[in-house]
Amino acid sequence: MTDDDLLRYARHLMLDEIGVDGQQRLLDASVLVVGAGGLGSPVGLYLASAGVGRITLVDHDTVSLTNLQRQIAHDMTSLGQLKVESAAARMAALNPQVQVRALPRRADAALLDEELPAVDVVIDCCDNFATRHLVNAACVRHGKPLVSGAAIGFDGQVSVYESRARQHPCYACLFPPESGFEDVACSTMGVFAPLVGIIGSVQAAEALKLLAGIGEPLTGRLLMLDGRRMQWSEIAMQRDPACPVCAA
Protein backbone atom coordinates (compact mmCIF):
# COMPACT_ATOMS: atom_id res chain seq x y z
CA MET A 1 0.00 0.00 0.00
CA THR A 2 1.19 3.51 -0.82
CA ASP A 3 1.15 6.51 1.51
CA ASP A 4 -1.95 7.75 -0.31
CA ASP A 5 -3.62 4.38 0.26
CA LEU A 6 -2.88 4.62 3.98
CA LEU A 7 -4.64 7.98 4.07
CA ARG A 8 -7.55 7.06 1.80
CA TYR A 9 -8.39 3.85 3.66
CA ALA A 10 -7.36 5.04 7.15
CA ARG A 11 -10.80 4.47 8.67
CA HIS A 12 -10.81 0.89 7.43
CA LEU A 13 -7.29 0.34 8.72
CA MET A 14 -8.41 1.48 12.18
CA LEU A 15 -10.90 -1.38 12.34
CA ASP A 16 -9.30 -4.45 13.90
CA GLU A 17 -11.53 -6.69 11.78
CA ILE A 18 -10.17 -5.17 8.54
CA GLY A 19 -6.75 -3.62 9.18
CA VAL A 20 -3.98 -3.75 6.60
CA ASP A 21 -4.57 -7.39 5.63
CA GLY A 22 -8.30 -6.95 5.06
CA GLN A 23 -7.83 -3.78 3.06
CA GLN A 24 -5.22 -5.48 0.92
CA ARG A 25 -7.72 -8.25 0.20
CA LEU A 26 -10.14 -5.59 -1.04
CA LEU A 27 -7.46 -4.01 -3.21
CA ASP A 28 -6.69 -7.41 -4.74
CA ALA A 29 -10.34 -8.39 -5.26
CA SER A 30 -12.46 -8.59 -8.40
CA VAL A 31 -16.25 -8.14 -8.42
CA LEU A 32 -18.94 -8.45 -11.09
CA VAL A 33 -21.93 -6.12 -10.67
CA VAL A 34 -24.99 -6.97 -12.78
CA GLY A 35 -27.06 -3.82 -13.21
CA ALA A 36 -26.00 -0.17 -12.99
CA GLY A 37 -29.31 1.36 -11.97
CA GLY A 38 -31.00 1.92 -8.62
CA LEU A 39 -29.19 -0.85 -6.72
CA GLY A 40 -26.06 -0.84 -8.83
CA SER A 41 -25.46 2.87 -8.19
CA PRO A 42 -24.78 2.66 -4.43
CA VAL A 43 -23.11 -0.73 -4.85
CA GLY A 44 -20.66 0.62 -7.44
CA LEU A 45 -19.92 3.82 -5.52
CA TYR A 46 -19.28 2.03 -2.22
CA LEU A 47 -17.13 -0.68 -3.81
CA ALA A 48 -15.03 2.00 -5.50
CA SER A 49 -14.74 4.13 -2.37
CA ALA A 50 -13.73 1.07 -0.33
CA GLY A 51 -10.94 0.25 -2.78
CA VAL A 52 -12.13 -2.95 -4.45
CA GLY A 53 -9.42 -3.38 -7.06
CA ARG A 54 -11.34 -4.53 -10.15
CA ILE A 55 -15.03 -3.92 -10.74
CA THR A 56 -16.92 -5.01 -13.85
CA LEU A 57 -20.31 -3.39 -14.52
CA VAL A 58 -22.80 -5.15 -16.80
CA ASP A 59 -25.90 -3.32 -18.09
CA HIS A 60 -27.23 -2.71 -21.60
CA ASP A 61 -29.51 0.22 -20.74
CA THR A 62 -29.09 3.99 -21.13
CA VAL A 63 -29.82 6.77 -18.66
CA SER A 64 -33.23 8.46 -18.87
CA LEU A 65 -34.72 11.32 -16.91
CA THR A 66 -36.99 8.93 -14.99
CA ASN A 67 -33.90 7.17 -13.59
CA LEU A 68 -32.52 10.24 -11.80
CA GLN A 69 -35.06 10.09 -8.97
CA ARG A 70 -33.15 7.15 -7.46
CA GLN A 71 -30.10 6.11 -9.56
CA ILE A 72 -27.50 8.26 -7.84
CA ALA A 73 -24.53 7.25 -10.00
CA HIS A 74 -26.06 9.29 -12.85
CA ASP A 75 -26.96 12.95 -13.34
CA MET A 76 -28.33 15.32 -15.98
CA THR A 77 -25.12 15.15 -17.98
CA SER A 78 -25.58 11.35 -18.24
CA LEU A 79 -28.90 11.45 -20.13
CA GLY A 80 -28.77 9.16 -23.14
CA GLN A 81 -25.43 7.72 -22.05
CA LEU A 82 -24.90 4.03 -21.35
CA LYS A 83 -25.45 3.41 -17.65
CA VAL A 84 -22.24 1.40 -17.31
CA GLU A 85 -20.20 4.25 -18.79
CA SER A 86 -21.91 6.89 -16.66
CA ALA A 87 -21.45 4.84 -13.46
CA ALA A 88 -17.85 3.95 -14.33
CA ALA A 89 -17.01 7.63 -14.78
CA ARG A 90 -18.52 8.52 -11.40
CA MET A 91 -16.68 5.65 -9.70
CA ALA A 92 -13.37 6.64 -11.33
CA ALA A 93 -13.85 10.24 -10.16
CA LEU A 94 -14.43 8.97 -6.64
CA ASN A 95 -11.42 6.66 -6.64
CA PRO A 96 -9.16 6.67 -9.72
CA GLN A 97 -7.10 3.80 -8.30
CA VAL A 98 -9.78 1.17 -8.93
CA GLN A 99 -10.11 -0.50 -12.32
CA VAL A 100 -13.69 -0.16 -13.53
CA ARG A 101 -14.66 -2.08 -16.65
CA ALA A 102 -17.94 -1.19 -18.39
CA LEU A 103 -19.72 -3.93 -20.33
CA PRO A 104 -22.79 -2.52 -22.17
CA ARG A 105 -24.39 -5.92 -22.69
CA ARG A 106 -27.25 -8.01 -21.38
CA ALA A 107 -26.21 -10.48 -18.70
CA ASP A 108 -26.92 -13.68 -20.61
CA ALA A 109 -25.56 -17.14 -19.82
CA ALA A 110 -22.68 -16.84 -22.30
CA LEU A 111 -21.44 -13.55 -20.84
CA LEU A 112 -21.72 -14.85 -17.27
CA ASP A 113 -19.81 -18.02 -18.09
CA GLU A 114 -17.11 -15.86 -19.66
CA GLU A 115 -16.82 -13.41 -16.77
CA LEU A 116 -17.37 -15.42 -13.59
CA PRO A 117 -14.15 -17.48 -13.51
CA ALA A 118 -12.11 -14.30 -12.95
CA VAL A 119 -14.20 -12.73 -10.14
CA ASP A 120 -14.40 -13.29 -6.40
CA VAL A 121 -17.99 -12.13 -5.76
CA VAL A 122 -21.04 -11.48 -7.93
CA ILE A 123 -23.55 -8.79 -6.96
CA ASP A 124 -26.98 -9.02 -8.59
CA CYS A 125 -28.48 -5.54 -8.93
CA CYS A 126 -30.77 -6.32 -11.86
CA ASP A 127 -34.50 -5.63 -11.98
CA ASN A 128 -36.04 -8.78 -13.43
CA PHE A 129 -36.72 -12.35 -12.37
CA ALA A 130 -35.25 -14.02 -15.46
CA THR A 131 -31.84 -12.37 -15.12
CA ARG A 132 -31.71 -13.15 -11.40
CA HIS A 133 -32.11 -16.83 -12.24
CA LEU A 134 -29.44 -16.67 -14.96
CA VAL A 135 -27.02 -15.04 -12.51
CA ASN A 136 -27.83 -17.54 -9.77
CA ALA A 137 -27.37 -20.54 -12.08
CA ALA A 138 -24.03 -19.19 -13.29
CA CYS A 139 -22.84 -18.65 -9.70
CA VAL A 140 -23.77 -22.24 -8.85
CA ARG A 141 -21.95 -23.55 -11.95
CA HIS A 142 -18.78 -21.61 -11.13
CA GLY A 143 -18.95 -21.82 -7.34
CA LYS A 144 -19.09 -18.05 -6.78
CA PRO A 145 -20.81 -16.29 -3.86
CA LEU A 146 -23.79 -14.19 -4.91
CA VAL A 147 -25.11 -11.08 -3.15
CA SER A 148 -28.66 -10.57 -4.37
CA GLY A 149 -30.96 -7.62 -3.76
CA ALA A 150 -34.36 -6.40 -4.91
CA ALA A 151 -36.46 -3.31 -4.26
CA ILE A 152 -39.91 -2.21 -5.45
CA GLY A 153 -42.48 0.16 -3.99
CA PHE A 154 -41.56 0.45 -0.31
CA ASP A 155 -40.28 -3.14 0.06
CA GLY A 156 -36.76 -4.48 -0.28
CA GLN A 157 -34.82 -7.67 0.35
CA VAL A 158 -31.23 -8.84 0.31
CA SER A 159 -29.39 -12.11 0.91
CA VAL A 160 -26.13 -13.92 0.25
CA TYR A 161 -26.15 -17.21 -1.65
CA GLU A 162 -22.95 -19.08 -0.94
CA SER A 163 -22.40 -21.47 -3.84
CA ARG A 164 -18.98 -22.56 -2.55
CA ALA A 165 -20.69 -24.63 0.16
CA ARG A 166 -23.34 -27.01 -1.15
CA GLN A 167 -25.25 -27.18 2.15
CA HIS A 168 -26.42 -23.58 1.67
CA PRO A 169 -29.48 -22.62 -0.42
CA CYS A 170 -29.28 -20.86 -3.75
CA TYR A 171 -31.70 -18.25 -5.08
CA ALA A 172 -33.74 -20.93 -6.86
CA CYS A 173 -34.30 -22.78 -3.58
CA LEU A 174 -36.37 -19.83 -2.38
CA PHE A 175 -37.76 -18.62 -5.71
CA PRO A 176 -38.13 -21.64 -8.03
CA PRO A 177 -37.79 -20.80 -11.74
CA GLU A 178 -41.09 -22.54 -12.50
CA SER A 179 -43.03 -20.63 -9.82
CA GLY A 180 -44.61 -18.31 -12.37
CA PHE A 181 -43.49 -15.22 -10.47
CA GLU A 182 -44.39 -12.07 -12.39
CA ASP A 183 -41.92 -9.22 -12.62
CA VAL A 184 -43.13 -5.92 -11.25
CA ALA A 185 -41.39 -2.95 -12.84
CA CYS A 186 -40.68 0.45 -11.30
CA SER A 187 -42.49 1.96 -14.29
CA THR A 188 -45.78 0.39 -13.18
CA MET A 189 -45.38 0.16 -9.38
CA GLY A 190 -42.95 2.94 -8.59
CA VAL A 191 -40.18 2.80 -6.01
CA PHE A 192 -39.39 4.93 -2.96
CA ALA A 193 -36.16 6.70 -3.92
CA PRO A 194 -34.07 6.00 -0.76
CA LEU A 195 -35.13 2.33 -0.72
CA VAL A 196 -32.71 1.32 -3.49
CA GLY A 197 -29.95 3.20 -1.67
CA ILE A 198 -30.62 1.30 1.55
CA ILE A 199 -30.77 -2.13 -0.11
CA GLY A 200 -27.81 -1.38 -2.39
CA SER A 201 -25.74 -0.24 0.59
CA VAL A 202 -26.48 -3.50 2.40
CA GLN A 203 -25.45 -5.41 -0.72
CA ALA A 204 -22.17 -3.47 -0.84
CA ALA A 205 -21.56 -4.17 2.85
CA GLU A 206 -22.18 -7.90 2.41
CA ALA A 207 -19.82 -8.03 -0.58
CA LEU A 208 -17.08 -6.18 1.29
CA LYS A 209 -17.48 -8.54 4.25
CA LEU A 210 -17.09 -11.55 1.95
CA LEU A 211 -14.04 -10.08 0.23
CA ALA A 212 -12.30 -9.01 3.44
CA GLY A 213 -13.24 -12.21 5.26
CA ILE A 214 -14.96 -10.48 8.16
CA GLY A 215 -18.24 -10.70 10.05
CA GLU A 216 -21.15 -13.06 9.46
CA PRO A 217 -22.67 -12.87 5.96
CA LEU A 218 -26.38 -13.15 5.24
CA THR A 219 -25.93 -16.72 4.04
CA GLY A 220 -29.10 -18.72 4.57
CA ARG A 221 -30.97 -15.62 5.73
CA LEU A 222 -33.29 -13.34 3.77
CA LEU A 223 -33.29 -9.82 5.17
CA MET A 224 -36.44 -7.88 4.32
CA LEU A 225 -37.26 -4.20 4.75
CA ASP A 226 -40.72 -2.65 5.07
CA GLY A 227 -39.87 0.89 4.04
CA ARG A 228 -43.21 2.29 5.19
CA ARG A 229 -42.37 1.47 8.80
CA MET A 230 -38.59 1.26 8.35
CA GLN A 231 -38.77 -2.14 9.95
CA TRP A 232 -36.41 -5.02 9.19
CA SER A 233 -37.38 -8.68 9.41
CA GLU A 234 -35.46 -11.85 8.66
CA ILE A 235 -36.38 -15.37 7.64
CA ALA A 236 -34.16 -18.43 7.65
CA MET A 237 -33.76 -20.21 4.31
CA GLN A 238 -33.16 -23.90 3.78
CA ARG A 239 -31.58 -25.65 0.84
CA ASP A 240 -34.15 -27.43 -1.31
CA PRO A 241 -32.90 -30.99 -1.93
CA ALA A 242 -35.01 -31.02 -5.10
CA CYS A 243 -33.77 -27.63 -6.37
CA PRO A 244 -33.37 -27.80 -10.16
CA VAL A 245 -30.24 -25.63 -9.96
CA CYS A 246 -28.06 -26.42 -6.94
CA ALA A 247 -29.24 -30.00 -6.41
CA ALA A 248 -28.72 -31.01 -10.03
Side-chain angles (χ1 to χ4, degrees), residues 46-224:
Y46 271 119
L47 294 184
S49 68
V52 172
R54 295 174 303 284
I55 305 166
T56 299
L57 303 176
V58 176
D59 196 315
H60 70 286
D61 203 5
T62 56
V63 180
S64 71
L65 189 59
T66 61
N67 299 146
L68 302 187
Q69 166 253 9
R70 63 200 178 279
Q71 299 184 15
I72 59 173
H74 316 299
D75 58 32
M76 290 295 292
T77 65
S78 307
L79 294 178
Q81 188 176 1
L82 288 162
K83 287 183 180 180
V84 288
E85 293 182 354
S86 172
R90 182 67 63 87
M91 292 159 64
L94 182 63
N95 188 351
Q97 297 176 338
V98 301
Q99 300 176 31
V100 184
R101 181 165 158 254
L103 282 182
R105 294 170 55 187
R106 289 183 181 274
D108 58 21
L111 181 144
L112 293 168
D113 282 339
E114 180 181 336
E115 296 294 327
L116 259 63
V119 304
D120 301 300
V121 170
V122 178
I123 309 179
D124 182 3
C125 301
C126 77
D127 61 359
N128 68 86
F129 195 56
T131 302
R132 291 191 188 108
H133 275 290
L134 285 174
V135 173
N136 174 71
C139 287
V140 171
R141 281 196 304 274
H142 294 276
K144 301 293 181 178
L146 169 63
V147 182
S148 179
I152 194 71
F154 287 88
D155 301 313
Q157 64 184 41
V158 61
S159 188
V160 173
Y161 300 97
E162 182 52 273
S163 298
R164 294 173 295 186
R166 293 296 183 178
Q167 73 269 25
H168 295 306
C170 76
Y171 181 82
C173 290
L174 188 63
F175 302 102
E178 70 281 1
S179 63
F181 181 87
E182 293 186 8
D183 282 321
V184 180
C186 296
S187 60
T188 57
M189 277 289 292
V191 61
F192 186 46
L195 180 70
V196 291
I198 296 168
I199 298 299
S201 295
V202 175
Q203 287 183 272
E206 289 299 304
L208 293 172
K209 285 162 54 182
L210 288 168
L211 295 170
I214 61 172
E216 181 182 346
L218 281 169
T219 305
R221 297 180 289 148
L222 182 68
L223 189 63
M224 298 176 292

